[in-house]
Amino acid sequence: MPSQLELPVGRGLAEFVIPTIPAGGEHEELFAVPTQRRAVIVAGPAASVRGDQLGLLRREVRWTDPVELFVHPVTAGLKPSAAGLVRDLEGEITKTITDNDISFHALRAYEPGDALRNVHWRTSARTGQLMVRQYEETRRSQLLLVQPTSAEHYASDEEFELAVSVLASLGVQVIRDATRLAVATDRLRLGTATPTALLDDTCRIAPLEDGAAPVRDVVREAGRRTAAPSVLIVVGGSRAPLAEFRAAETVFGSDTQVIVFRTEVGAASRITRVGESTIVTVGSLDELPRLVRRVRP
C-alpha cells in the first residue's frame, strides 16, 4: 500500500510519498541537502509512517540507522611537494652525530667497541692510527600540523573557517605527497590515511569557547604520539599573540623547523621571520598556493 517515508536531515525533516511497490520492486527518491558551510549532518533514521487522515493514529516502522554526511571545508589546490615543505630524498639531516648513517661528517680516532666496518683504512694507513667515520644523523621527513581552536584567538567565525581551510589544504597535499603526517587540534586527532579521511575529520573541528590551553601546550600534546617532526606547522588566528607561537619553538629540538600560518581575513598576505619561526599571514584562501611556494623552512 502507499505510505509516507520520513527522513530527519540535521534539524530538518524530509518527507516522501512512496507509491505502491510490488513484491521485490524498488522505488528511488533523489533529493538535495542544502549546505552553506562546513558541517557534519546526521541523516536518518528513515521511517515509514502510516496513519489516519485526521492524524489521530500513527504507526512508524524504522528502516535504517542514522548516517553522517560530511560537508568538507573549501580547500585550495597546491602543487605537488609544495605543502610538504621538505624536499629531501634520503631524510632530513640533523645536528646529531652518530656512528652509523648515510651523511658523512668527519673522522675520529678509533675507540674500543667501534665497528670495524666504519674504519677508514686509507686514512688509518697514512696516519698510522685507526680512524673511523662519523655521520650526521638523518631521519625520514615527518610533518606535524596543529590548529589551536581557542575562540579568543580568532577575530570572527569567517577567520576560523579560513584557518580550517588552510589546515585542510596543507594536509591534503602532504598526504598526496606521501610524507608522514600527523594532524591535531586541542581536542581532536585527525585521520591521515587518505585525503577523504582527513577532510571528514576537519568537519568536526569547532571553536573552543572556554578552557583553552596555550599554543605551546597544544603542540606538545599533539606531538606526544609522533616522532620528533622535521617540520612543525601551526595554523592560528590573528588574535593569537606571536609570543605564543614562538613558544612552540621550545617543544622540539633545533632540528625542527617551525612555520606558522596566521589567518586574518582581508589582510595583505605576507611572509615574515620572527625568531626561528617563519610567520605566514593569509588574508584569503586564494593566496595560499602562492604563499606556500615562497615558504622556505
Side-chain angles (χ1 to χ4, degrees), residues 122-155:
R122 185 173 299 177
T123 302
S124 299
R126 187 172 64 250
T127 62
Q129 180 183 9
L130 282 179
M131 303 294 290
V132 295
R133 300 179 184 88
Q134 283 186 305
Y135 300 87
E136 289 179 310
E137 186 177 66
T138 59
R139 63 181 180 220
R140 184 183 171 191
S141 303
Q142 167 75 49
L143 194 145
L144 178 60
L145 187 54
V146 181
Q147 181 185 355
T149 58
S150 173
E152 65 184 26
H153 289 176
Y154 299 87

Side-chain angles (χ1 to χ4, degrees), residues 16 35 52 98 102 163 170 174 182 213 227 261:
F16 308 94
T35 56
D52 65 293
T98 181
I102 59 176
L170 294 171
V174 171
F261 285 83

Side-chain angles (χ1 to χ4, degrees), residues 29-293:
E29 290 278 351
L30 298 178
F31 68 102
V33 179
T35 56
Q36 302 298 324
R37 59 179 297 171
R38 177 182 61 90
V40 179
I41 300 174
V42 178
S48 58
V49 179
R50 288 184 178 180
D52 65 293
Q53 297 295 328
L54 299 178
L56 299 177
L57 301 175
R58 178 181 174 93
R59 179 176 180 270
E60 294 185 7
V61 177
R62 175 172 169 171
W63 292 96
T64 66
D65 293 324
V67 295
E68 291 181 327
L69 307 177
F70 296 97
V71 183
H72 291 164
V74 179
T75 56
L78 304 177
K79 291 185 177 181
S81 296
L85 301 173
V86 181
R87 300 173 174 82
D88 60 285
L89 298 177
E90 298 174 332
E92 275 287 283
I93 297 175
T94 71
K95 297 178 182 178
T96 303
I97 304 302
T98 181
D99 292 330
N100 186 20
D101 217 305
I102 59 176
S103 180
F104 176 74
H105 174 65
L107 295 173
R108 64 168 175 81
Y110 175 86
E111 295 178 358
D114 286 339
L116 290 178
R117 67 175 179 272
N118 290 331
V119 173
H120 194 271
W121 296 106
R122 185 173 299 177
T123 302
S124 299
R126 187 172 64 250
T127 62
Q129 180 183 9
L130 282 179
M131 303 294 290
V132 295
R133 300 179 184 88
Q134 283 186 305
Y135 300 87
E136 289 179 310
E137 186 177 66
T138 59
R139 63 181 180 220
R140 184 183 171 191
S141 303
Q142 167 75 49
L143 194 145
L144 178 60
L145 187 54
V146 181
Q147 181 185 355
T149 58
S150 173
E152 65 184 26
H153 289 176
Y154 299 87
S156 63
D157 290 341
E158 186 181 2
E159 185 172 288
F160 185 86
E161 290 302 314
L162 176 57
V164 175
S165 290
V166 169
L167 179 88
S169 300
L170 294 171
V172 165
Q173 190 55 55
V174 171
I175 293 172
R176 289 173 178 166
D177 287 343
T179 297
R180 289 194 301 176
L181 172 69
V183 185
T185 69
D186 308 61
R187 295 175 291 183
L188 295 174
R189 194 168 191 85
L190 285 66
T192 57
T194 64
T196 300
L198 175 64
L199 290 172
D200 284 352
D201 282 350
T202 58
C203 298
R204 305 184 190 277
I205 299 176
L208 189 61
E209 299 296 338
D210 53 9
V215 172
R216 183 180 185 278
D217 292 349
V218 176
V219 171
R220 182 173 56 189
E221 184 62 29
R224 285 187 185 278
R225 287 180 260 173
T226 62
S230 46
V231 178
L232 165 66
I233 296 181
V234 183
V235 181
S238 61
R239 290 187 175 176
L242 281 177
E244 286 211 28
F245 291 123
R246 290 197 60 189
E249 297 175 6
T250 63
V251 177
F252 305 105
S254 58
D255 292 327
T256 298
Q257 301 290 333
V258 180
I259 303 172
V260 177
F261 285 83
R262 296 183 79 212
T263 56
E264 186 175 356
V265 176
S269 298
R270 59 189 180 275
I271 299 175
T272 56
R273 190 82 179 177
V274 179
E276 298 299 319
S277 299
T278 300
I279 310 296
V280 184
T281 300
V282 184
S284 69
L285 191 60
D286 294 339
E287 291 290 312
L288 184 62
R290 179 180 64 84
L291 291 168
V292 169
R293 288 196 300 268

